[in-house]
């Protein structure tokens, strides 16, 4: 009983692929649309995810390679409490001016996050690029791996969802077309059928 029901269920799902006098051209188009949409969603999602993860991983690796640790000195006393600035706040840290020397010997100044109430002259660690400009601390290899994986998952899911939505839109259009064909056929056959019923 269960095997028969499973065979019947599979037959119902695959009826558009079988030869059938009731099958219309729009039914065949819908069958191909579903197949192509599923294949493109699966393959496109995987490929887009892998490409996005690879690109994110390369970008993060370049940021790690570009970043340099530098020793900086506070040029002023740090505020005692975080202030609301355009740079935002790091929670328990405050923004203050620091001075550092780049690898090429050039001197630079800029604002970075430090401990509250730190005295002028306090040494702090900052991250710079090859030009000696301040940058954010790069992600560790493990953090980069997780971020690249997350980027890949989002890109893959977005691609698959986009393909699936496009497939649904095509199927909706085919449904409207099929209903229009049925209406036209009923307008042609309906009056003859009613004559037979009343005759």
């Amino acid at each position: 009983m269960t095997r028969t029901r499973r065979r019947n269920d599979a037959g119902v799902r695959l009826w558009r692929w079988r030869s059938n006098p009731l099958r219309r051209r729009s039914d065949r188009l819908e069958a191909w649309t579903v197949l192509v949409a599923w294949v493109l969603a699966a393959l496109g999602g995987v490929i887009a995810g892998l490409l996005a993860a690879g690109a994110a991983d390369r970008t993060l690796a370049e940021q790690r390679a570009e970043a340099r640790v530098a020793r900086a000195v506070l040029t002023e006393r740090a505020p005692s409490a975080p202030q609301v600035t355009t740079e935002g706040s790091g929670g328990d840290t405050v923004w203050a001016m620091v001075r550092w020397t780049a690898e090429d010997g050039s001197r630079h100044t800029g604002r970075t996050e430090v401990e509250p109430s730190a005295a002028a002259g306090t040494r702090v660690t900052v991250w710079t690029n090859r030009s000696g400009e301040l940058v954010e601390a790069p992600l560790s290899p493990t953090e980069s791996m997780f971020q690249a994986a997350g980027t890949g998952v989002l890109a893959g899911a977005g691609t698959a969802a986009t393909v699936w939505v496009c497939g649904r839109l095509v199927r909706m259009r085919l449904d409207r077309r099929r209903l229009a064909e049925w209406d036209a056929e009923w307008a042609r056959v309906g009056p003859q059928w009613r004559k037979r019923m009343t005759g």
Side-chain angles (χ1 to χ4, degrees):
M1 180 71 177
T2 305
R3 288 181 182 174
T4 303
R5 184 178 301 162
R6 284 177 184 166
R7 278 199 298 269
N8 290 340
D9 289 346
V12 168
R13 283 193 298 270
L14 300 175
W15 72 270
R16 290 182 181 90
W17 292 100
R18 295 197 319 263
S19 179
N20 186 326
L22 298 177
R23 185 180 65 176
R24 299 170 186 267
R25 182 170 176 268
S26 59
D27 296 325
R28 289 193 299 275
L29 285 174
E30 184 175 5
W32 278 106
T33 299
V34 171
L35 178 63
V36 169
W38 277 108
V39 170
L40 287 179
L43 290 178
V46 169
I47 291 170
L50 290 174
L51 290 176
D57 189 51
R58 282 190 299 275
T59 300
L60 294 170
E62 288 172 5
Q63 289 175 357
R64 281 196 308 276
E66 175 95 2
R68 304 282 190 271
V69 175
R71 297 295 293 171
V73 177
L74 264 70
T75 60
E76 62 183 7
R77 181 177 179 81
S80 58
Q83 298 171 336
V84 178
T85 65
T86 56
E87 294 134 327
S89 174
D92 296 332
T93 58
V94 295
W95 289 90
M97 290 294 294
V98 294
R99 180 181 64 246
W100 69 96
T101 302
E103 288 182 343
D104 62 3
S106 59
R107 292 179 176 267
H108 299 267
T109 58
R111 291 170 58 81
T112 189
E113 291 181 83
V114 297
E115 295 293 323
S117 301
T122 302
R123 292 188 171 276
V124 295
T125 300
V126 296
W127 288 89
T128 66
N129 58 21
R130 290 179 181 164
S131 301
E133 299 167 343
L134 287 177
V135 295
E136 290 187 13
L139 297 178
S140 69
T142 302
E143 292 170 331
S144 297
M145 182 184 67
F146 280 113
Q147 183 162 329
T151 301
V153 168
L154 288 175
T159 301
T162 301
V163 172
W164 184 82
V165 167
C166 290
R168 289 295 300 168
L169 291 174
V170 171
R171 289 183 69 189
M172 287 170 58
R173 184 166 182 157
L174 288 172
D175 281 342
R176 285 197 297 269
R177 181 175 170 183
R178 188 167 29 240
L179 289 173
E181 289 174 354
W182 284 346
D183 287 343
E185 192 163 339
W186 179 249
R188 183 175 55 82
V189 174
Q192 298 173 6
W193 183 75
R194 279 195 291 271
K195 281 182 185 176
R196 289 182 184 176
M197 292 294 291
T198 56

